[in-house]
Structures are given as structure tokens and as C-alpha cells.
Amino acid sequence: MKNVVILFIIILHIFPSTTMAQEGYNRLVVDGKTWKGMELGISPDKQFIYDLFLSGDTTINGKEYLKCYIIQERGAQGYVVPKCSRALREEDRKVYGIGIGNDKEYLLYDFNVQVGDSLYCGVNESGEPIIIEGKLDEEQEERVQLIVLKEIENKTSSEGVDLRCYHFTMLTRERMADGSVIEQEGQSNIWAEGVGSINDYPLNSWHMENVSSFGYWLQQCYDNQHILYVSPSNIQTISVMKSTSDNLYDLQGRQMRHAPAKGVYIQNGKKFIVR
């Protein structure tokens, strides 16, 4: 009888752990998380590369955050050395941000959403896209964007990492003369657990094309050199390289003379990590 009780206790401890493993939630806010992409302007000469990464913790208002750095090539406004302008934290599948030197936190992502749920989106004082928490009145609703979750899709990355992708559609609303409101589906957006937005700037909860002269293209996202996401165009480039030679390439598709002393390189279509 004693052995049965012990076995039952062990099962109780194992079962929750197994359930959590099956859920396989990928955290976004992880030290070493890195995003690489491009900023695309309205003309061909306005195309710039950006690097975004999380490194080092900090405490703001008694809460623990990771500092978020950016390097970008946007002309005179670019940062050739890493600049830290915000910090991120994650709790209960929600990703929060806060500007360095500010005391007001904002919500970037809520990965608790279910199919059919809707979220109100707007911008904070710094013009950054955020999710608006709490109930809005009719006047406030007309000034923000509404996104609706249409589908949750399970995908596997090139390195076998399971990622949930959340497919959203933006609803545009127009109030008619009689007071009625017409809603129409507009742009789509995709969130990926552990990555963020994959068809926009990674920390944009919703498309900013209506209020920004720049569009964004996420090329890669990796967690301490463990690749989570590579854009389809990058995959195609790697495939072409594989069929032509045994040369070495970096993740941007540039040919390398030698394998790096530390980092990631590609040879014959395979990724190699030197630690």
C-alpha cells in the first residue's frame, strides 16, 4: 500500500510536467535573443539593415527586465553601435515593454489569445505599437485598430523547433451618417511564439504601414545561435548555394573565406555552429 501511495505521488508530479512539455511554449524574452531584418522605405534607395537583440537584465519599478538593443543603418538616424532604448519582460505569456528612463509599461504581445478573440491596438507616447488593455468606450474604439485572431497554426522551424503561429486580420471601421459602423477586413499579421511579428518589425504588435513611411521584413530570429525563424527568401538563397558549390556562407548569404572562430555558418545547405 505504501508503494502504491508513493507511485501515485510520483505520477502527480510527472503529469503537470508532461502537460507543460506538450504545450511547448517558447518564451520571447530570453537573454541572447536576436532578430535580423530590413527596413524598406518608399523608394529603392531607402533600404536599411537592422539588428535587434536582448542582453543583460535591469530592474525598473521593482520588476526585472532584459535590455533591448538595436543597431540600424538608417542614414543620419542610424546607430552604428548598439543603442538601448527599451527593456522587455514576459509574464503569463504576455510580453511587456518599457522605455529606458520611462515609468509606464505597455503590452506588446498576449499569447493567451484564442481563435475568435479580438485585441485593440494603438500607439504609446513614443509612437510604438502596443496592445491596449481594458475596456474602451465608443469614441476610443474609433481611434484604435482592431485585430482578430483567425487561426493558430503549428509549424516546425528548420532546426526542429515547434512554433505556434497566430494569424490575425485587421478590421477597419467606418461610422456612417446614420450612426452605424461598417467593419471590413484589411491587412493580415502573424505572431510566432518566441519570435514576435514575422511579417513586420518583430516588436510591432500590428502593421504600422498606415502611420510609417517604412515597412519591415524580418529575415532571421535566433536564440543564442539556435535558429528559430528564417524567412522563406533566405531559405531559397541557401538552397541555391547548396546546388552550386561547397563554399561557406553566413546567415545573410554572404560568402566567407574561412569558418568563423565562433558563430554560425552554412556549408552544403547545412548550418554549423562553432561555440
Side-chain angles (χ1 to χ4, degrees), residues 33-53:
K33 180 67 62 68
T34 303
W35 298 265
K36 291 180 177 290
M38 292 188 69
E39 299 177 322
L40 308 175
I42 56 178
S43 59
D45 62 323
K46 294 187 180 298
Q47 297 184 8
F48 308 107
I49 296 172
Y50 72 80
D51 285 68
L52 193 71
F53 60 93

Side-chain angles (χ1 to χ4, degrees), residues 163-272:
L163 296 175
R164 287 189 185 87
C165 291
Y166 297 68
H167 294 257
F168 288 90
T169 295
M170 182 180 293
L171 292 183
T172 59
R173 297 185 302 281
E174 182 179 359
R175 184 172 293 278
M176 309 306 290
D178 61 1
S180 62
V181 176
I182 296 178
E183 293 184 345
Q184 292 183 326
E185 292 190 358
Q187 297 168 324
S188 60
N189 196 19
I190 302 174
W191 298 355
E193 284 181 4
V195 178
S197 180
I198 64 174
N199 57 343
D200 203 317
Y201 188 71
L203 299 184
N204 280 4
S205 308
W206 55 283
H207 274 303
M208 292 288 288
E209 293 177 1
N210 295 332
V211 295
S212 173
S213 60
F214 280 89
Y216 299 96
W217 172 36
L218 178 63
Q219 294 176 301
Q220 302 137 18
C221 175
Y222 49 93
D223 181 358
N224 293 289
Q225 300 182 352
H226 185 71
I227 295 175
L228 296 176
Y229 173 80
V230 179
S231 71
S233 57
N234 278 22
I235 293 173
Q236 183 180 8
T237 302
I238 293 169
S239 178
V240 171
M241 292 171 186
K242 176 182 177 182
S243 64
T244 55
S245 70
D246 292 336
N247 293 332
L248 306 180
Y249 299 88
D250 64 15
L251 291 176
Q252 284 73 43
R254 298 172 297 203
Q255 187 172 340
M256 306 169 66
R257 292 185 178 181
H258 308 286
K262 183 177 181 181
V264 182
Y265 68 94
I266 297 167
Q267 185 177 35
N268 288 327
K270 296 182 179 179
K271 301 181 188 69
F272 297 89

Side-chain angles (χ1 to χ4, degrees), residues 68-131:
C68 183
Y69 292 85
I70 186 170
I71 305 172
Q72 63 179 179
E73 303 176 341
R74 196 190 288 182
Q77 299 178 353
Y79 313 111
V80 294
V81 296
K83 177 181 178 181
C84 180
S85 60
R86 72 169 91 180
L88 305 179
R89 73 178 183 92
E90 188 168 3
E91 181 181 359
D92 297 331
R93 299 194 178 201
K94 292 183 177 182
V95 178
Y96 297 91
I98 189 169
I100 300 298
N102 296 339
D103 58 2
K104 188 175 182 181
E105 186 180 67
Y106 51 85
L107 179 63
L108 281 172
Y109 292 104
D110 183 356
F111 289 102
N112 295 295
V113 289
Q114 302 297 320
V115 174
D117 288 351
S118 59
L119 298 171
Y120 288 109
C121 301
V123 295
N124 63 8
E125 294 81 358
S126 302
E128 297 163 322
I130 64 172
I131 295 172

Side-chain angles (χ1 to χ4, degrees), residues 17-63:
S17 302
T18 305
T19 303
M20 289 301 292
Q22 289 173 347
E23 289 182 359
Y25 176 70
N26 291 282
R27 292 180 60 84
L28 187 149
V29 182
V30 177
D31 205 339
K33 180 67 62 68
T34 303
W35 298 265
K36 291 180 177 290
M38 292 188 69
E39 299 177 322
L40 308 175
I42 56 178
S43 59
D45 62 323
K46 294 187 180 298
Q47 297 184 8
F48 308 107
I49 296 172
Y50 72 80
D51 285 68
L52 193 71
F53 60 93
L54 304 180
S55 178
D57 54 14
T58 183
T59 302
I60 304 175
N61 297 332
K63 296 178 181 178

